[in-house]
Amino acid sequence: MKSPIPKSHPRAQSLYIREKLVAAFDDGLVAKEGLMAHGRGEAFDYLLGEKTARSAKKATKAAAFMLMHAQNPVISVNGNVAGLCPKEIVQLAKATEAKIEVNLFYSSEERKRKIHRVLKKNGAVQILGLNKKNSIRISGLDSARRIVDVNGIYSADVVLVPLEDGDRTQALKNAGKKVITFDLNPLSRTAQTADITIVDNIVRGIRNLILECRKNQSKVKFDNKKNLSDAILEIRDNLTRKANHA
Ligand code: ATP
Ligand code: MG
């Protein structure tokens, strides 16, 4: 489909991201509910002006430091994440020596296998979350998401859970994990519960995080609540600018 919007325009990038997610849905990677979660993300991305805000850059630096200094970091992958940025997930895992674990809200063995295949195709060496023999439950959750890999999320000190549901983030926190997330909605329960929330589209944000991990990071003073307030103010400023030009 030929878009009338120039390729470099943020809107064109959002449309490209949407098409990528729809293709992943057609390929059986993304659940129906994943399409809706994406729509919610798009709405917040629109309010942010579809660009990486200053607060997101700050959170990215803090996240890179935490990941690079973790003992056993794990990246949790769901259908949307696998559909949007499989190559970057593998690059990030390599840069941080993190494990990759597939963990789905709406579990299905077939979808898991498809996600596994896509990650492998993009260079992943080891992918956890598929071998039932290594499954163990974390408490505080009533769905399939409580099943985690004993060598992965279960024993992790730091978990990156992008585009995640609030209950699960809370359960990981209760289990004593440090949690990092990408979430475009600064008001979501996940955004509010995580230790570090990068309020950015994962497609833009993960590239910045990989670059940051490859640098020599220095510890930054970071307060997630304060940074989330800054993200909300950035949305407000963007809306004010738009209103003044309307
Ligand atoms: P919560 O359970 O944390 O309160 P929610 O129920 O509103 O959140 P979920 O579907 O559980 O939403 O989680 C998906 C989250 O991912 C949403 O907050 C959505 O804004 C965000 N999101 C969707 N697509 C992207 C994306 N491409 N990049 C970053 N965040 C995204
Ligand atoms: Mg939710």
Side-chain angles (χ1 to χ4, degrees):
M1 183 182 35
K2 187 146 170 37
S3 165
I5 305 169
K7 255 195 177 147
S8 57
H9 193 281
R11 276 293 41 233
Q13 288 167 25
S14 282
L15 292 174
Y16 164 75
I17 295 170
R18 183 189 288 182
E19 279 166 21
K20 211 169 170 188
L21 195 89
V22 170
F25 173 77
D26 289 339
D27 291 343
L29 294 174
V30 170
K32 283 202 278 295
E33 293 82 358
L35 294 174
M36 292 183 224
H38 186 79
R40 179 152 18 208
E42 273 189 356
F44 279 95
D45 209 5
Y46 203 102
L47 299 179
L48 268 168
E50 294 162 322
K51 59 185 188 308
T52 301
R54 207 169 328 129
S55 61
K57 290 182 187 156
K58 189 161 185 198
T60 301
K61 284 188 196 299
F65 187 87
M66 189 180 271
L67 281 168
M68 295 304 282
H69 290 82
Q71 296 297 313
N72 190 6
V74 174
I75 304 171
S76 178
V77 175
N78 62 21
N80 284 40
V81 172
L84 290 176
C85 49
K87 189 172 91 220
E88 290 80 3
I89 286 291
V90 176
Q91 287 172 348
L92 182 64
K94 287 190 175 152
T96 57
E97 296 183 19
K99 292 172 183 160
I100 297 174
E101 178 167 339
V102 178
N103 193 285
L104 307 182
F105 192 116
Y106 299 99
S107 192
S108 122
E109 289 308 312
E110 198 193 341
R111 218 149 58 74
K112 265 193 184 172
R113 268 198 306 280
K114 286 183 174 165
I115 293 171
H116 182 268
R117 211 174 299 145
V118 164
L119 291 168
K120 276 261 163 203
K121 220 173 98 191
N122 282 277
V125 183
Q126 194 194 14
I127 303 160
L128 304 176
L130 297 143
N131 187 346
K132 283 203 176 112
K133 275 197 234 132
N134 293 337
S135 301
I136 190 162
R137 286 158 189 226
I138 46 168
S139 54
L141 281 175
D142 55 4
S143 70
R145 296 164 301 149
R146 69 179 168 180
I147 311 287
V148 294
D149 195 297
V150 71
N151 300 315
I153 290 174
Y154 188 76
S155 44
D157 54 344
V158 175
V159 192
L160 173 65
V161 280
L163 286 52
E164 186 54 77
D165 174 61
D167 287 346
R168 181 139 184 277
T169 309
Q170 187 61 60
L172 293 173
K173 283 298 299 164
N174 294 348
K177 317 288 177 200
K178 289 271 181 214
V179 175
I180 303 170
T181 190
F182 283 98
D183 195 327
L184 276 161
N185 176 3
L187 302 168
S188 80
R189 287 174 307 145
T190 289
Q192 299 279 338
T193 312
D195 295 279
I196 301 176
T197 305
I198 304 171
V199 181
D200 198 7
N201 197 311
I202 191 170
V203 176
R204 290 190 300 269
I206 197 165
R207 292 184 193 139
N208 296 332
L209 183 56
I210 294 164
L211 291 176
E212 207 54 57
C213 288
R214 287 178 180 158
K215 284 187 201 162
N216 269 338
Q217 317 79 35
S218 45
K219 197 166 170 40
V220 285
K221 223 173 128 241
F222 188 77
D223 173 346
N224 205 42
K225 288 270 182 256
K226 160 85 177 63
N227 207 58
L228 286 169
S229 307
D230 289 346
I232 294 166
L233 291 177
E234 283 164 332
I235 289 176
R236 189 196 64 181
D237 291 347
N238 186 47
L239 293 180
T240 307
R241 263 194 307 276
K242 283 209 162 112
N244 289 339
H245 287 95

